[in-house]
Amino acid sequence: MDIRCRKTGCKYNNKYTCTAKGILIKKNIECSQYEKGNTPVDKTKYIFSENPPEYAPQRDSATIEIDCKARCLFNDNGKCVANGITLNDIKEKPLCVTFLEQ
């Protein structure tokens, strides 16, 4: 499972890959593990850079449990069964953009 998080200011984000022990997507599709990190992120350096951002290796889905409380097509009795999930960085809190309403 490919787990990508664009919330680069989160303390669990390592080059767009989540390092949390587990993820819980709440009913409002928000990631409950999000914790603001100590280092501010300067996104403008990525927007105008000629170099693409670095990505950490993909995590094996066996190393992370993804629970889900949202009314989502990929929610199977509280477990995410999507091939991968992506969390956005548009709002204050990261939202699961893989979400498809059931």
Side-chain angles (χ1 to χ4, degrees):
M1 174 183 284
D2 188 23
I3 304 159
R4 291 292 170 205
C5 181
R6 296 179 185 151
K7 198 68 174 172
T8 54
C10 179
K11 80 175 204 174
Y12 296 113
N13 190 313
N14 176 27
K15 299 179 185 172
Y16 301 95
T17 297
C18 182
T19 61
K21 290 182 181 178
I23 297 173
L24 171 63
I25 303 299
K26 300 189 291 188
K27 287 183 181 180
N28 64 352
I29 69 169
E30 182 181 305
C31 178
S32 67
Q33 272 58 41
Y34 170 73
E35 286 187 46
K36 196 170 188 175
N38 295 329
T39 308
V41 179
D42 180 9
K43 294 182 185 164
T44 56
K45 77 176 185 178
Y46 297 114
I47 293 172
F48 300 109
S49 173
E50 292 180 12
N51 301 321
E54 291 182 43
Y55 292 93
Q58 177 178 314
R59 279 186 75 181
D60 185 345
S61 61
T63 66
I64 188 168
E65 189 167 321
I66 303 174
D67 296 322
C68 183
K69 296 193 182 269
R71 287 188 39 122
C72 179
L73 181 66
F74 302 115
N75 183 342
D76 183 19
N77 293 317
K79 302 290 179 196
C80 180
V81 294
N83 289 334
I85 66 168
T86 300
L87 300 170
N88 77 352
D89 191 24
I90 298 168
K91 304 277 184 187
E92 178 65 27
K93 297 283 185 172
L95 302 178
C96 179
V97 295
T98 309
F99 170 77
L100 288 174
E101 191 169 358
Q102 200 173 39

